[in-house]
Amino acid sequence: MELAYYSDYAVRLVNTEEPARNKDSLTSVEAVRDLFGTASQMARRATDADVTRFRSVRARLRAVFTAADAGDQTQAVDLLNSLLLEFPVSPQISGHDYLDDEGRPRWHMHLADHPSNATAGYAAIAAMGLAFHLTEFGADRLGLCQAPPCRNAYLDTSTNRSRRYCSDRCATRANVAAYRARKRLETERSANTGLTADTSQASTTPTDR
């Protein structure tokens, strides 16, 4: 498993909550287990106690994205470093499940964890993955969706660092809203221009005596 893959753990956890919509899908141990995806062995460690612990880590990860989105790279790094210190991992070279055409292992870096609970294991992987993404591509590649009220986290992988939305759906919604706003403004300006012209004409028309 490549290190870049782990950064998605952070995004998945942060996006279980939509504060502006007052929505939170992280309400059960089943929801916690779903976050692990194919890491079924780690997921089996989850208990009801992890729901609260996961929410705490989620708030800290969102703070990293919020700082990065606001342009405060130092704050984003400081917050992420605190997670890395609290939830360390052990990098290992692995070749399991990946063989080349000749049957030899395709060696890659793997993050081995030995956590005391499911939250510690997930947090360690999410923080390390996010740290790898930040140092490889830049803190400005961590963003929050600009389509109100959505504030989902995303990782910008565009070639020109132009991403502003978490999904195509939000991008479309924002573009439609912007188009409608422009049309309203044009209509208002047209109406005001017509009103001004009528007023000017009335002031220059001779009155009957």
Side-chain angles (χ1 to χ4, degrees):
M1 189 177 294
E2 297 179 357
L3 291 179
Y5 169 85
Y6 291 115
S7 59
D8 191 53
Y9 275 58
V11 174
R12 289 207 302 268
L13 178 53
V14 171
N15 291 346
T16 59
E17 181 185 31
E18 297 181 71
R21 293 189 173 107
N22 197 28
K23 291 183 178 181
D24 188 347
S25 62
L26 192 58
T27 58
S28 66
V29 66
E30 288 76 17
V32 168
R33 288 171 179 160
D34 286 343
L35 286 168
F36 285 94
T38 58
S40 57
Q41 184 175 358
M42 293 177 61
R44 284 195 292 269
R45 303 173 189 166
T47 66
D48 289 331
D50 285 299
V51 176
T52 300
R53 290 194 288 254
F54 261 67
R55 287 179 172 178
S56 177
V57 172
R58 180 181 64 187
R60 295 171 66 181
L61 286 171
R62 176 171 283 278
V64 175
F65 279 92
T66 300
D69 188 67
D72 193 343
Q73 298 191 18
T74 300
Q75 176 71 355
V77 169
D78 287 345
L79 291 170
L80 190 50
N81 273 336
S82 69
L83 284 165
L84 291 170
L85 288 171
E86 185 172 345
F87 302 105
V89 295
S90 302
Q92 292 181 349
I93 299 174
S94 176
H96 62 82
D97 300 330
Y98 296 93
L99 302 178
D100 61 21
D101 295 337
E102 297 180 8
R104 295 174 301 189
R106 293 181 178 176
W107 303 113
H108 58 279
M109 292 301 297
H110 178 81
L111 297 184
D113 63 284
H114 309 284
S116 57
N117 55 66
T119 303
Y122 193 99
I125 289 176
M128 179 58 73
L130 200 57
F132 175 81
H133 193 93
L134 186 151
T135 54
E136 183 74 9
F137 303 107
D140 58 345
R141 293 286 189 159
L142 279 58
L144 294 174
C145 187
Q146 299 300 303
C150 181
R151 293 293 282 167
N152 277 351
Y154 64 83
L155 299 172
D156 186 359
T157 56
S158 64
T159 56
N160 57 356
R161 300 173 184 263
S162 61
R163 185 171 177 179
R164 298 176 58 208
Y165 307 106
C166 68
S167 64
D168 291 339
R169 180 182 179 182
C170 276
T172 299
R173 182 162 55 83
N175 289 334
V176 169
Y179 172 78
R180 290 175 177 172
R182 288 196 301 270
K183 296 301 290 185
R184 283 196 301 269
L185 183 59
E186 290 173 3
T187 300
E188 292 172 359
R189 286 177 175 173
S190 178
N192 290 336
T193 300
L195 181 61
T196 302
D198 290 343
T199 302
S200 176
Q201 183 177 8
S203 65
T204 57
T205 300
T207 58
D208 295 332
R209 297 195 180 193

